[in-house]
Amino acid sequence: MTLLLIWLGGVALVLPGLGATAALRGNPRTFVTLDMAAVIFGLVSVATGLCTSLVIGVLHLVAGAPLVQFEGHVSPGGIAASVASLAALGLMASQLSGAAVRARRGRRSAHVDSWLGEHHDLGDHEVVVVPTSSPLAYSVEGSPPQVVISEGLRDSIGDDLVALVIDHERAHLRARHGRALLVAALADGAFGWSTGVLRSTTALRLAVERAADETAAGGDPRRRHRLGAAMCAVGDSLRLPYGRAEQVRHRARLLVLPPDASTAVFPLAAAAGLIALAAVAAGLMGHVAGGDLPALMAVLG
């Protein structure tokens, strides 16, 4: 059972990355939810499987030989598997806590103090223009939440695109996209060595950006084409790091593509697959709670 839980978690962790290209043509808001749910389920399922194996090993040491009957069914591998689970859990906990601490520190350092730059109070958030020539735009939760844009970016793009950037970052704040980005950071921290998991967290982050693009651009086709052309020009002219220029151009192209009816089925299939994984995991846990756990308690008693 523990191996199956770990396997289910691994499948859920790589699931968002399998259809990332098709997902980009669909509703990005839907895929933010689906991708985040898949990654959370994967992390929880892997951790549950490892914890179950560890608990069986500890109980075996306490109760002795009678627990051997549960090793093959509930937790194959015996003491060796329990020791490996302990090591994996320790590493996973360390990586998760490190990623959480880095995310918290990053959020604190990204928040702009009141003495720096131009602060414009808009009620539920601030727009802050910071004095740097580097192209910079982001949003950060805090007290108050902030949309931060650099003077260099503001002065190098047109008014339409400045408004899009600010609306884009405002959309991140209002949709609480920081939670999805934290989930991606935690998955990267725990399983960043896996190419499949990295593809999934990249898909989640891109879905977050696409969702904010859609909110900011609105539904007017003429405005979307104008903004898409402006975004492509920015992607070509600004020296953005780490492949971000190509990502901006790609997002710009998606803004002007006509709706693709074939993508409407994809989120339903993705949701069905995730529900199936969750149902199997729930069935496993129900079997343990209804059958294995009482028998285990009887042995210990």
Side-chain angles (χ1 to χ4, degrees):
M1 187 201 76
T2 55
L3 291 179
L4 187 53
L5 278 174
I6 294 170
W7 181 82
L8 288 173
V11 170
L13 283 168
V14 302
L15 189 61
L18 298 179
T21 302
L24 291 176
R25 296 294 304 277
N27 185 340
R29 302 176 188 88
T30 300
F31 282 97
V32 170
T33 302
L34 287 173
D35 292 354
M36 186 166 61
V39 173
I40 291 173
F41 170 75
L43 291 172
V44 171
S45 184
V46 170
T48 300
L50 293 174
C51 284
T52 302
S53 176
L54 176 60
V55 167
I56 292 296
V58 171
L59 292 177
H60 178 72
L61 292 177
V62 173
L67 274 178
V68 170
Q69 59 182 302
F70 296 98
E71 288 181 354
H73 174 58
V74 180
S75 178
I79 295 299
S82 297
V83 172
S85 296
L86 174 61
L89 272 174
L91 180 60
M92 185 176 175
S94 173
Q95 297 292 342
L96 285 172
S97 61
V101 168
R102 287 191 297 273
R104 185 176 180 183
R105 287 176 179 170
R107 188 165 58 247
R108 283 181 176 176
S109 63
H111 204 271
V112 180
D113 293 332
S114 58
W115 55 267
L116 179 61
E118 306 169 19
H119 290 249
H120 305 277
D121 187 358
L122 299 182
D124 60 343
H125 68 282
E126 287 184 338
V127 173
V128 183
V129 182
V130 292
T132 176
S133 60
S134 300
L136 182 67
Y138 64 86
S139 57
V140 57
E141 297 175 2
S143 183
Q146 293 178 333
V147 170
V148 181
I149 184 170
S150 67
E151 289 181 352
L153 182 61
R154 182 193 62 184
D155 296 341
S156 62
I157 60 180
D159 291 341
D160 264 1
L161 207 50
V162 169
L164 174 69
V165 168
I166 292 175
D167 287 345
H168 172 101
E169 299 302 337
R170 186 181 290 122
H172 283 318
L173 291 175
R174 291 177 175 170
R176 303 292 298 274
H177 283 156
R179 295 174 298 181
L181 297 177
L182 176 59
V183 168
L186 292 176
D188 281 345
F191 299 105
W193 45 266
S194 166
T195 302
V197 174
L198 287 176
R199 279 199 296 263
S200 292
T201 55
T202 299
L204 174 54
R205 291 186 177 97
L206 192 49
V208 165
E209 296 303 320
R210 285 277 298 121
D213 284 345
E214 289 294 324
T215 300
D220 183 353
R222 288 177 298 180
R223 182 171 188 267
R224 291 171 69 90
H225 275 79
R226 188 171 68 250
L227 292 173
M231 285 177 65
C232 279
V234 168
D236 291 333
S237 63
L238 296 182
R239 295 182 177 180
L240 300 176
Y242 310 120
R244 286 176 55 196
E246 176 56 34
Q247 187 184 107
V248 168
R249 289 192 292 269
H250 185 54
R251 286 162 45 198
R253 290 191 290 269
L254 291 171
L255 271 185
V256 301
L257 286 176
D260 187 349
S262 65
T263 61
V265 180
F266 192 78
L268 297 177
L274 186 56
I275 291 171
L277 290 177
V280 173
L284 288 173
M285 298 308 296
H287 177 72
V288 171
D292 292 320
L293 184 59
L296 182 60
M297 297 306 295
V299 170
L300 292 176

